[in-house]
Amino acid sequence: MEKHPAQVTIKPSVPVLTGRRRRAVFLQDYQLYLLIGLPIVYFLLFKYVPMYGAAIAFKDYNIFQGVLGSEWVGFDNFRQLFAMSQFYQVVRNTLLLNVLDLLFSFPAPIVLAILLNELRVVWFKKAAQTILYLPHFISWVIIGGLVYQMFANNGGLVNNLIQALGLQPIPFLTDKNNWVLVYLGTGIWQSAGWGTIIYLAALTGVNKELYEAAEVDGAGRLKKIWHITLPGIRSTIVVMLIMQLGHIMSIGFERPYVMSNPLVMDYAEVISTFVYKAGLQSAQFSIATAMGLFQAFIGMIFVISANAVAKKFGEQGIW
Amino acid sequence: MTTKIAPQRIADAVIMLIVGIALIVCLVPFLHILSISLSSKQAVLSNIVTIFPREFDPEAYRIVFRDAAMLRAMGVTIFLTVTFTAVSMIMSICAAYPLTKDRLKGKSFFMLLIVFTMFFSGGLIPEYLLVKELGLLNSLLALIVPGMISAFNLIILKTFFSSIPASLEESAYLDGCSHIGILTRIVLPLSLPVLATLSLFYAVSRWNGFMDALFYITDSQLFPIQLKLYQIIMNSMTTDLTAQEGAAQTEVVPEGLKAASIMFATTPILIVYPWLQRYFVSGIMIGAVKG
């Protein structure tokens, strides 16, 4: 048994003598554990300790007694949470925004990828891709600023143009229904171009001979897209759809947070922003954790069922 | 013949037109904000700036570059991004390489441990409490350590490492090369495209991220640029939108200054990503094939 593994790694890797080879092989495997050790500690500490910490959803959390010392209260926090009228609003908003996002943002990159694939002017295609990826690299804070500059009632570019045409300005950001449209549009704007990468990758795998055969049979462009291109990327579409369905309950924090304003909170308050406000701003740690746990649990059920359904339909699924 | 070619040409033109419109939609917000940042105050206030600067005036940039807090926030962000990317890459490599080896006992257990975190998490509050217990509140470590490995990036890296022919590693192994030797001399040099891709992903996520800073950092000396921007842009935006409700007008930042700050924080990324494009396209393709 080697007692000082740290010394072993320092040894230069000179050719090993036959007699010591067996021992050397063992020591070399030791390096594998040395490499993976710290990352595993990271996952245990920063991912699994919080999972344990989520126990405070079932406790009356007290800052001074900590996670371990606080008293168990069973499902009291959940009962309290479910009794809040805000709970239903927040869950409804999360589902509403995510389902609409799925309906509108999901097909956008597929359509865009097919269009890019049909482009035959190479320089235009390359330039187009670079520009379409751009919004993905912009932070939500900045996107929030851009949206305001474009859609503000007073001085927003779009409303300036509308007024220049002699029409009444539209309250894009302060009317809650309009706000949902802006929220959805912003999502498409930010992600559609980036999303094409994965479909373009899948499109390179489509058999070129199929197109030639179809051409001989006299198929037009749309027919080729419908009968060859789309079936060719079907499994990629399904995998992406499962991943999206898995996230139907979870919603990123930054996008709704930076895009919301007090006038549209009826639609803009979602689970993640609620957890932040209840937990960190009002110090209701246990209630906020219960909300987070509720979300994580339902989300997991969604992933597992979506995957099972996909497999039933003969697709690969994600595991 | 001409009757056959004409519809093709029309279809091509229509496709180029649609893609062209998408490109314009992508670019207009940036051109607008750039124009505002370069126009005079009067021009901005009278709403005549669209996508070209009016009455050119770089005053807003002069103010941004003289603002010590802004420069400091930029310094913090640059430091954070460089450190975070380096640490994240080292940790991801250390985890991914052993996971490609069948000789690693417990390999599937480790994989399960890692993949599970992609589908289930303790949530924001327990994570906050952990960071607090560890004494990391108001420390830059809180913005580096808790998110330093992305399970998603780790799996992309592992997939790439697995695609390197095993025979290459075996021959080095027989020559007496250690695992760490094989990793640094053979695997890493062959993985440059994917290493570049993941570095970009980590760097962009750190550069653009502000949620953790909002939660963990209250000391304005440690504000990264996004949090600083958030205060500049959002505070005045909320005041603006709710002004008719009688909310008190707190400091309203001039539009030109907001626009210049946005350009200041975004330009570095705009310069970097097109150069790395061919790498991340191939990197994503690898991830796409095997999730």
Side-chain angles (χ1 to χ4, degrees):
Chain A
M1 207 49 198
E2 177 61 56
K3 278 180 187 158
H4 304 287
Q7 289 180 348
V8 175
T9 59
I10 297 162
K11 271 187 194 166
S13 47
V14 289
V16 189
L17 297 172
T18 15
R20 291 160 66 190
R21 175 156 272 170
R22 186 179 283 250
R23 205 171 87 108
V25 166
F26 171 77
L27 293 180
Q28 285 188 330
D29 281 356
Y30 204 92
Q31 292 185 340
L32 292 178
Y33 293 95
L34 211 66
L35 286 172
I36 205 171
L38 216 48
I40 291 295
V41 169
Y42 162 80
F43 279 102
L44 291 176
L45 180 58
F46 286 101
K47 300 289 173 186
Y48 285 88
V49 168
M51 281 185 212
Y52 170 74
I56 64 169
F58 304 96
K59 290 184 168 202
D60 181 16
Y61 181 72
N62 180 315
I63 308 175
F64 302 105
Q65 286 161 327
V67 176
L68 283 171
S70 296
E71 219 174 303
W72 292 98
V73 294
F75 284 91
D76 277 6
N77 293 315
F78 287 93
R79 253 175 242 133
Q80 220 180 315
L81 179 69
F82 296 155
M84 293 166 95
S85 62
Q86 226 195 334
F87 171 81
Y88 296 96
Q89 196 192 29
V90 164
V91 171
R92 181 205 67 188
N93 290 348
T94 306
L95 283 172
L96 182 79
L97 294 179
N98 277 342
V99 168
L100 289 173
D101 234 0
L102 193 65
L103 284 177
F104 293 102
S105 293
F106 185 76
I110 301 174
V111 173
L112 205 51
I114 290 173
L115 288 174
L116 284 171
N117 195 48
E118 295 285 323
L119 280 179
R120 281 182 291 186
V121 187
V122 177
W123 69 264
F124 184 72
K125 185 176 168 179
K126 290 213 162 137
Q129 281 178 277
T130 306
I131 292 170
L132 289 170
Y133 297 154
L134 175 107
H136 174 80
F137 291 93
I138 305 305
S139 78
W140 278 110
V141 174
I142 287 171
I143 294 177
L146 293 179
V147 165
Y148 177 76
Q149 289 289 357
M150 298 300 289
F151 293 107
N153 298 0
N154 236 326
L157 181 62
V158 176
N159 269 328
N160 282 348
L161 294 179
I162 289 175
Q163 276 172 306
L165 293 174
L167 301 168
Q168 282 294 310
I170 300 169
F172 288 108
L173 301 175
T174 47
D175 174 88
K176 54 189 186 179
N177 293 317
N178 289 340
W179 180 84
V180 171
L181 293 180
V182 174
Y183 178 91
L184 294 173
T186 309
I188 296 175
W189 182 81
Q190 196 256 357
S191 64
W194 182 252
T196 60
I197 293 185
I198 208 151
Y199 296 110
L200 286 171
L203 283 169
T204 57
V206 179
N207 190 348
K208 296 280 177 294
E209 286 173 23
L210 291 176
Y211 290 105
E212 283 159 26
E215 219 153 298
V216 173
D217 289 347
R221 212 149 177 177
L222 283 173
K223 277 207 158 153
K224 278 187 277 181
I225 290 175
W226 185 253
H227 292 291
I228 302 170
T229 311
L230 274 175
I233 57 174
R234 194 176 76 154
S235 58
T236 307
I237 295 176
V238 171
V239 168
M240 297 306 287
L241 194 59
I242 300 174
M243 305 239 282
Q244 286 289 309
L245 279 173
H247 292 136
I248 204 99
M249 270 297 278
S250 64
I251 190 159
F253 171 83
E254 299 187 357
R255 178 173 166 206
Y257 188 70
V258 300
M259 288 195 65
S260 66
N261 62 68
L263 297 179
V264 295
M265 274 307 162
D266 283 356
Y267 281 168
E269 192 78 279
V270 292
I271 294 179
S272 54
T273 54
F274 173 84
V275 170
Y276 168 63
K277 284 169 191 166
L280 298 191
Q281 291 185 337
S282 319
Q284 295 176 290
F285 290 105
S286 286
I287 297 270
T289 307
M291 181 60 126
L293 207 57
F294 172 77
Q295 171 193 4
F297 189 70
I298 305 279
M300 213 168 66
I301 293 175
F302 265 105
V303 190
I304 294 169
S305 6
N307 199 51
V309 170
K311 281 194 166 169
K312 241 190 187 132
F313 282 96
E315 293 293 340
Q316 253 192 332
I318 43 176
W319 66 77
Chain B
M1 280 310 273
T2 41
T3 47
K4 253 195 156 183
I5 290 167
Q8 279 283 16
R9 286 239 172 109
I10 293 170
D12 280 342
V14 170
I15 290 167
M16 278 180 89
L17 186 73
I18 299 174
V19 174
I21 291 170
L23 297 185
I24 291 170
V25 171
C26 272
L27 284 176
V28 162
F30 290 99
L31 296 176
H32 180 53
I33 211 104
L34 181 65
S35 307
I36 286 185
S37 71
L38 288 170
S39 298
S40 72
K41 258 184 205 165
Q42 292 76 5
V44 174
L45 279 177
S46 50
N47 288 337
I48 53 167
V49 181
T50 51
I51 58 170
F52 299 107
R54 292 289 193 91
E55 302 168 24
F56 180 83
D57 180 2
E59 177 61 22
Y61 286 94
R62 243 175 258 140
I63 297 173
V64 168
F65 278 97
R66 271 198 223 117
D67 181 352
M70 187 69 94
L71 295 180
R72 192 184 169 86
M74 185 54 116
V76 167
T77 296
I78 292 171
F79 169 79
L80 272 178
T81 303
V82 171
T83 317
F84 177 81
T85 307
V87 171
S88 296
M89 285 309 291
I90 292 170
M91 292 291 275
S92 305
I93 291 167
C94 285
Y97 177 71
L99 288 172
T100 62
K101 296 281 165 283
D102 283 330
R103 19 185 337 126
L104 181 83
K105 289 203 180 69
K107 179 183 131 185
S108 51
F109 171 73
F110 291 142
M111 263 322 271
L112 187 69
L113 194 83
I114 291 165
V115 171
F116 185 67
T117 64
M118 291 169 75
F119 297 107
F120 193 80
S121 81
L124 196 147
I125 302 296
E127 279 167 25
Y128 171 82
L129 293 176
L130 175 69
V131 168
K132 193 171 166 236
E133 293 285 310
L134 293 172
L136 295 179
L137 287 188
N138 269 326
S139 124
L140 291 184
L141 274 181
L143 305 185
I144 295 173
V145 181
M148 68 183 164
I149 307 182
S150 139
F152 184 77
N153 288 354
L154 174 54
I155 287 169
I156 292 181
L157 194 60
K158 186 203 145 216
T159 311
F160 192 93
F161 284 171
S162 314
S163 71
I164 294 172
S167 55
L168 267 177
E169 297 178 38
E170 268 162 28
S171 58
Y173 191 72
L174 291 176
D175 287 342
C177 205
S178 67
H179 280 299
I180 290 172
I182 294 171
L183 177 62
T184 53
R185 287 184 219 173
I186 297 174
V187 176
L188 292 185
L190 288 173
S191 308
L192 288 180
V194 78
L195 296 180
T197 309
L198 297 185
S199 301
L200 178 74
F201 287 178
Y202 278 126
V204 169
S205 73
R206 185 61 277 165
W207 187 279
N208 282 342
F210 88 108
M211 182 172 95
D212 49 357
L214 180 71
F215 296 169
Y216 303 144
I217 306 291
T218 48
D219 177 358
S220 63
Q221 297 278 300
L222 296 176
F223 275 10
I225 191 88
Q226 303 294 343
L227 193 55
K228 179 92 185 114
L229 273 180
Y230 177 76
Q231 290 194 325
I232 294 175
I233 299 170
M234 294 304 154
N235 286 352
S236 58
M237 168 181 135
T238 311
T239 327
D240 227 27
L241 286 177
T242 52
Q244 64 260 50
E245 302 237 306
Q249 291 271 335
T250 49
E251 40 141 7
V252 173
V253 182
E255 298 301 319
L257 196 55
K258 276 195 256 175
S261 309
I262 287 176
M263 292 313 298
F264 177 68
T266 314
T267 309
I269 285 196
L270 298 190
I271 292 170
V272 172
Y273 92 87
W275 303 103
L276 290 168
Q277 185 172 333
R278 70 194 172 96
Y279 292 125
F280 65 65
V281 169
S282 63
I284 295 254
M285 284 171 79
I286 295 152
V289 179
K290 276 187 182 166

PDB file of all heavy atoms in Angstrom, chain B residues 73-98:
ATOM      1  N   ALA B  73     -15.884  47.878 -11.189  1.00  0.00           N
ATOM      2  CA  ALA B  73     -16.770  46.747 -11.466  1.00  0.00           C
ATOM      3  C   ALA B  73     -16.248  45.946 -12.661  1.00  0.00           C
ATOM      4  O   ALA B  73     -16.294  44.717 -12.667  1.00  0.00           O
ATOM      5  CB  ALA B  73     -18.189  47.246 -11.735  1.00  0.00           C
ATOM      6  N   MET B  74     -15.739  46.654 -13.665  1.00  0.00           N
ATOM      7  CA  MET B  74     -15.178  45.970 -14.830  1.00  0.00           C
ATOM      8  C   MET B  74     -13.954  45.156 -14.417  1.00  0.00           C
ATOM      9  O   MET B  74     -13.801  44.002 -14.845  1.00  0.00           O
ATOM     10  CB  MET B  74     -14.807  47.005 -15.899  1.00  0.00           C
ATOM     11  CG  MET B  74     -14.337  46.390 -17.197  1.00  0.00           C
ATOM     12  SD  MET B  74     -15.518  45.210 -17.862  1.00  0.00           S
ATOM     13  CE  MET B  74     -15.980  45.991 -19.372  1.00  0.00           C
ATOM     14  N   GLY B  75     -13.117  45.741 -13.546  1.00  0.00           N
ATOM     15  CA  GLY B  75     -11.933  45.021 -13.059  1.00  0.00           C
ATOM     16  C   GLY B  75     -12.335  43.755 -12.318  1.00  0.00           C
ATOM     17  O   GLY B  75     -11.778  42.675 -12.542  1.00  0.00           O
ATOM     18  N   VAL B  76     -13.343  43.879 -11.449  1.00  0.00           N
ATOM     19  CA  VAL B  76     -13.831  42.722 -10.688  1.00  0.00           C
ATOM     20  C   VAL B  76     -14.304  41.638 -11.655  1.00  0.00           C
ATOM     21  O   VAL B  76     -13.982  40.465 -11.514  1.00  0.00           O
ATOM     22  CB  VAL B  76     -14.986  43.138  -9.735  1.00  0.00           C
ATOM     23  CG1 VAL B  76     -15.697  41.918  -9.177  1.00  0.00           C
ATOM     24  CG2 VAL B  76     -14.456  44.002  -8.610  1.00  0.00           C
ATOM     25  N   THR B  77     -15.058  42.057 -12.681  1.00  0.00           N
ATOM     26  CA  THR B  77     -15.600  41.090 -13.636  1.00  0.00           C
ATOM     27  C   THR B  77     -14.493  40.394 -14.427  1.00  0.00           C
ATOM     28  O   THR B  77     -14.547  39.186 -14.633  1.00  0.00           O
ATOM     29  CB  THR B  77     -16.587  41.782 -14.590  1.00  0.00           C
ATOM     30  OG1 THR B  77     -17.681  42.252 -13.819  1.00  0.00           O
ATOM     31  CG2 THR B  77     -17.090  40.831 -15.638  1.00  0.00           C
ATOM     32  N   ILE B  78     -13.494  41.165 -14.851  1.00  0.00           N
ATOM     33  CA  ILE B  78     -12.398  40.550 -15.602  1.00  0.00           C
ATOM     34  C   ILE B  78     -11.673  39.532 -14.726  1.00  0.00           C
ATOM     35  O   ILE B  78     -11.428  38.394 -15.132  1.00  0.00           O
ATOM     36  CB  ILE B  78     -11.422  41.622 -16.131  1.00  0.00           C
ATOM     37  CG1 ILE B  78     -12.119  42.452 -17.215  1.00  0.00           C
ATOM     38  CG2 ILE B  78     -10.146  40.986 -16.684  1.00  0.00           C
ATOM     39  CD1 ILE B  78     -11.342  43.675 -17.661  1.00  0.00           C
ATOM     40  N   PHE B  79     -11.388  39.933 -13.484  1.00  0.00           N
ATOM     41  CA  PHE B  79     -10.721  39.015 -12.557  1.00  0.00           C
ATOM     42  C   PHE B  79     -11.566  37.754 -12.346  1.00  0.00           C
ATOM     43  O   PHE B  79     -11.067  36.632 -12.442  1.00  0.00           O
ATOM     44  CB  PHE B  79     -10.473  39.709 -11.207  1.00  0.00           C
ATOM     45  CG  PHE B  79     -10.038  38.773 -10.122  1.00  0.00           C
ATOM     46  CD1 PHE B  79      -8.723  38.332 -10.054  1.00  0.00           C
ATOM     47  CD2 PHE B  79     -10.947  38.293  -9.183  1.00  0.00           C
ATOM     48  CE1 PHE B  79      -8.324  37.442  -9.067  1.00  0.00           C
ATOM     49  CE2 PHE B  79     -10.556  37.400  -8.193  1.00  0.00           C
ATOM     50  CZ  PHE B  79      -9.242  36.975  -8.136  1.00  0.00           C
ATOM     51  N   LEU B  80     -12.856  37.959 -12.087  1.00  0.00           N
ATOM     52  CA  LEU B  80     -13.761  36.831 -11.846  1.00  0.00           C
ATOM     53  C   LEU B  80     -13.799  35.893 -13.042  1.00  0.00           C
ATOM     54  O   LEU B  80     -13.723  34.675 -12.901  1.00  0.00           O
ATOM     55  CB  LEU B  80     -15.183  37.337 -11.618  1.00  0.00           C
ATOM     56  CG  LEU B  80     -15.602  37.718 -10.212  1.00  0.00           C
ATOM     57  CD1 LEU B  80     -17.028  38.241 -10.234  1.00  0.00           C
ATOM     58  CD2 LEU B  80     -15.506  36.510  -9.287  1.00  0.00           C
ATOM     59  N   THR B  81     -13.935  36.487 -14.235  1.00  0.00           N
ATOM     60  CA  THR B  81     -14.091  35.674 -15.439  1.00  0.00           C
ATOM     61  C   THR B  81     -12.848  34.830 -15.689  1.00  0.00           C
ATOM     62  O   THR B  81     -12.944  33.633 -15.954  1.00  0.00           O
ATOM     63  CB  THR B  81     -14.393  36.576 -16.648  1.00  0.00           C
ATOM     64  OG1 THR B  81     -15.552  37.341 -16.355  1.00  0.00           O
ATOM     65  CG2 THR B  81     -14.638  35.751 -17.898  1.00  0.00           C
ATOM     66  N   VAL B  82     -11.679  35.458 -15.577  1.00  0.00           N
ATOM     67  CA  VAL B  82     -10.432  34.726 -15.832  1.00  0.00           C
ATOM     68  C   VAL B  82     -10.250  33.612 -14.807  1.00  0.00           C
ATOM     69  O   VAL B  82     -10.011  32.448 -15.151  1.00  0.00           O
ATOM     70  CB  VAL B  82      -9.226  35.695 -15.824  1.00  0.00           C
ATOM     71  CG1 VAL B  82      -7.921  34.922 -15.863  1.00  0.00           C
ATOM     72  CG2 VAL B  82      -9.331  36.665 -16.987  1.00  0.00           C
ATOM     73  N   THR B  83     -10.415  33.951 -13.523  1.00  0.00           N
ATOM     74  CA  THR B  83     -10.215  32.958 -12.466  1.00  0.00           C
ATOM     75  C   THR B  83     -11.235  31.825 -12.589  1.00  0.00           C
ATOM     76  O   THR B  83     -10.883  30.650 -12.551  1.00  0.00           O
ATOM     77  CB  THR B  83     -10.376  33.606 -11.081  1.00  0.00           C
ATOM     78  OG1 THR B  83      -9.711  34.860 -11.092  1.00  0.00           O
ATOM     79  CG2 THR B  83      -9.805  32.732  -9.995  1.00  0.00           C
ATOM     80  N   PHE B  84     -12.496  32.210 -12.752  1.00  0.00           N
ATOM     81  CA  PHE B  84     -13.561  31.222 -12.821  1.00  0.00           C
ATOM     82  C   PHE B  84     -13.344  30.261 -13.998  1.00  0.00           C
ATOM     83  O   PHE B  84     -13.476  29.050 -13.857  1.00  0.00           O
ATOM     84  CB  PHE B  84     -14.910  31.933 -12.975  1.00  0.00           C
ATOM     85  CG  PHE B  84     -16.093  31.011 -13.128  1.00  0.00           C
ATOM     86  CD1 PHE B  84     -16.684  30.416 -12.027  1.00  0.00           C
ATOM     87  CD2 PHE B  84     -16.624  30.740 -14.381  1.00  0.00           C
ATOM     88  CE1 PHE B  84     -17.766  29.567 -12.167  1.00  0.00           C
ATOM     89  CE2 PHE B  84     -17.710  29.890 -14.536  1.00  0.00           C
ATOM     90  CZ  PHE B  84     -18.277  29.308 -13.418  1.00  0.00           C
ATOM     91  N   THR B  85     -12.990  30.822 -15.155  1.00  0.00           N
ATOM     92  CA  THR B  85     -12.804  29.976 -16.334  1.00  0.00           C
ATOM     93  C   THR B  85     -11.657  28.997 -16.112  1.00  0.00           C
ATOM     94  O   THR B  85     -11.780  27.809 -16.410  1.00  0.00           O
ATOM     95  CB  THR B  85     -12.533  30.849 -17.573  1.00  0.00           C
ATOM     96  OG1 THR B  85     -13.574  31.814 -17.674  1.00  0.00           O
ATOM     97  CG2 THR B  85     -12.502  30.011 -18.834  1.00  0.00           C
ATOM     98  N   ALA B  86     -10.543  29.499 -15.551  1.00  0.00           N
ATOM     99  CA  ALA B  86      -9.394  28.626 -15.322  1.00  0.00           C
ATOM    100  C   ALA B  86      -9.758  27.512 -14.341  1.00  0.00           C
ATOM    101  O   ALA B  86      -9.539  26.322 -14.611  1.00  0.00           O
ATOM    102  CB  ALA B  86      -8.219  29.436 -14.800  1.00  0.00           C
ATOM    103  N   VAL B  87     -10.344  27.883 -13.206  1.00  0.00           N
ATOM    104  CA  VAL B  87     -10.693  26.895 -12.189  1.00  0.00           C
ATOM    105  C   VAL B  87     -11.707  25.892 -12.745  1.00  0.00           C
ATOM    106  O   VAL B  87     -11.559  24.681 -12.570  1.00  0.00           O
ATOM    107  CB  VAL B  87     -11.267  27.602 -10.933  1.00  0.00           C
ATOM    108  CG1 VAL B  87     -11.844  26.591  -9.969  1.00  0.00           C
ATOM    109  CG2 VAL B  87     -10.199  28.431 -10.253  1.00  0.00           C
ATOM    110  N   SER B  88     -12.720  26.392 -13.441  1.00  0.00           N
ATOM    111  CA  SER B  88     -13.757  25.514 -13.980  1.00  0.00           C
ATOM    112  C   SER B  88     -13.188  24.515 -14.969  1.00  0.00           C
ATOM    113  O   SER B  88     -13.556  23.344 -14.965  1.00  0.00           O
ATOM    114  CB  SER B  88     -14.839  26.338 -14.682  1.00  0.00           C
ATOM    115  OG  SER B  88     -15.480  27.147 -13.751  1.00  0.00           O
ATOM    116  N   MET B  89     -12.298  24.989 -15.837  1.00  0.00           N
ATOM    117  CA  MET B  89     -11.726  24.095 -16.839  1.00  0.00           C
ATOM    118  C   MET B  89     -10.876  23.019 -16.180  1.00  0.00           C
ATOM    119  O   MET B  89     -10.962  21.843 -16.528  1.00  0.00           O
ATOM    120  CB  MET B  89     -10.901  24.891 -17.865  1.00  0.00           C
ATOM    121  CG  MET B  89     -11.727  25.672 -18.861  1.00  0.00           C
ATOM    122  SD  MET B  89     -13.003  24.718 -19.697  1.00  0.00           S
ATOM    123  CE  MET B  89     -12.012  23.653 -20.723  1.00  0.00           C
ATOM    124  N   ILE B  90     -10.042  23.439 -15.203  1.00  0.00           N
ATOM    125  CA  ILE B  90      -9.182  22.451 -14.534  1.00  0.00           C
ATOM    126  C   ILE B  90     -10.044  21.394 -13.843  1.00  0.00           C
ATOM    127  O   ILE B  90      -9.840  20.187 -14.001  1.00  0.00           O
ATOM    128  CB  ILE B  90      -8.249  23.142 -13.518  1.00  0.00           C
ATOM    129  CG1 ILE B  90      -7.233  24.004 -14.274  1.00  0.00           C
ATOM    130  CG2 ILE B  90      -7.545  22.119 -12.631  1.00  0.00           C
ATOM    131  CD1 ILE B  90      -6.413  24.920 -13.397  1.00  0.00           C
ATOM    132  N   MET B  91     -11.065  21.833 -13.128  1.00  0.00           N
ATOM    133  CA  MET B  91     -11.920  20.889 -12.414  1.00  0.00           C
ATOM    134  C   MET B  91     -12.679  19.981 -13.388  1.00  0.00           C
ATOM    135  O   MET B  91     -12.823  18.785 -13.147  1.00  0.00           O
ATOM    136  CB  MET B  91     -12.924  21.652 -11.530  1.00  0.00           C
ATOM    137  CG  MET B  91     -12.285  22.371 -10.368  1.00  0.00           C
ATOM    138  SD  MET B  91     -11.632  21.240  -9.131  1.00  0.00           S
ATOM    139  CE  MET B  91     -13.095  20.946  -8.170  1.00  0.00           C
ATOM    140  N   SER B  92     -13.167  20.567 -14.475  1.00  0.00           N
ATOM    141  CA  SER B  92     -13.926  19.755 -15.438  1.00  0.00           C
ATOM    142  C   SER B  92     -13.036  18.697 -16.084  1.00  0.00           C
ATOM    143  O   SER B  92     -13.457  17.557 -16.281  1.00  0.00           O
ATOM    144  CB  SER B  92     -14.536  20.641 -16.528  1.00  0.00           C
ATOM    145  OG  SER B  92     -15.317  21.643 -15.942  1.00  0.00           O
ATOM    146  N   ILE B  93     -11.804  19.089 -16.415  1.00  0.00           N
ATOM    147  CA  ILE B  93     -10.867  18.140 -17.028  1.00  0.00           C
ATOM    148  C   ILE B  93     -10.555  17.016 -16.038  1.00  0.00           C
ATOM    149  O   ILE B  93     -10.581  15.837 -16.380  1.00  0.00           O
ATOM    150  CB  ILE B  93      -9.571  18.859 -17.468  1.00  0.00           C
ATOM    151  CG1 ILE B  93      -9.872  19.781 -18.652  1.00  0.00           C
ATOM    152  CG2 ILE B  93      -8.482  17.852 -17.826  1.00  0.00           C
ATOM    153  CD1 ILE B  93      -8.765  20.768 -18.964  1.00  0.00           C
ATOM    154  N   CYS B  94     -10.292  17.414 -14.772  1.00  0.00           N
ATOM    155  CA  CYS B  94      -9.968  16.414 -13.745  1.00  0.00           C
ATOM    156  C   CYS B  94     -11.099  15.410 -13.576  1.00  0.00           C
ATOM    157  O   CYS B  94     -10.871  14.243 -13.299  1.00  0.00           O
ATOM    158  CB  CYS B  94      -9.712  17.090 -12.399  1.00  0.00           C
ATOM    159  SG  CYS B  94      -8.137  17.915 -12.314  1.00  0.00           S
ATOM    160  N   ALA B  95     -12.336  15.870 -13.722  1.00  0.00           N
ATOM    161  CA  ALA B  95     -13.468  14.964 -13.541  1.00  0.00           C
ATOM    162  C   ALA B  95     -13.721  14.143 -14.802  1.00  0.00           C
ATOM    163  O   ALA B  95     -14.019  12.958 -14.731  1.00  0.00           O
ATOM    164  CB  ALA B  95     -14.719  15.753 -13.172  1.00  0.00           C
ATOM    165  N   ALA B  96     -13.592  14.774 -15.970  1.00  0.00           N
ATOM    166  CA  ALA B  96     -13.994  14.104 -17.212  1.00  0.00           C
ATOM    167  C   ALA B  96     -13.045  12.971 -17.588  1.00  0.00           C
ATOM    168  O   ALA B  96     -13.484  11.915 -18.026  1.00  0.00           O
ATOM    169  CB  ALA B  96     -14.068  15.126 -18.350  1.00  0.00           C
ATOM    170  N   TYR B  97     -11.748  13.185 -17.418  1.00  0.00           N
ATOM    171  CA  TYR B  97     -10.797  12.175 -17.884  1.00  0.00           C
ATOM    172  C   TYR B  97     -10.978  10.823 -17.187  1.00  0.00           C
ATOM    173  O   TYR B  97     -11.129   9.800 -17.878  1.00  0.00           O
ATOM    174  CB  TYR B  97      -9.358  12.696 -17.743  1.00  0.00           C
ATOM    175  CG  TYR B  97      -8.331  11.672 -18.148  1.00  0.00           C
ATOM    176  CD1 TYR B  97      -8.165  11.332 -19.489  1.00  0.00           C
ATOM    177  CD2 TYR B  97      -7.558  11.027 -17.197  1.00  0.00           C
ATOM    178  CE1 TYR B  97      -7.255  10.371 -19.864  1.00  0.00           C
ATOM    179  CE2 TYR B  97      -6.642  10.065 -17.563  1.00  0.00           C
ATOM    180  CZ  TYR B  97      -6.484   9.735 -18.899  1.00  0.00           C
ATOM    181  OH  TYR B  97      -5.587   8.779 -19.264  1.00  0.00           O
ATOM    182  N   PRO B  98     -11.004  10.761 -15.843  1.00  0.00           N
ATOM    183  CA  PRO B  98     -11.184   9.442 -15.215  1.00  0.00           C
ATOM    184  C   PRO B  98     -12.509   8.786 -15.609  1.00  0.00           C
ATOM    185  O   PRO B  98     -12.587   7.557 -15.679  1.00  0.00           O
ATOM    186  CB  PRO B  98     -11.169   9.762 -13.718  1.00  0.00           C
ATOM    187  CG  PRO B  98     -10.432  11.039 -13.610  1.00  0.00           C
ATOM    188  CD  PRO B  98     -10.784  11.812 -14.845  1.00  0.00           C
TER     189      PRO B  98
END
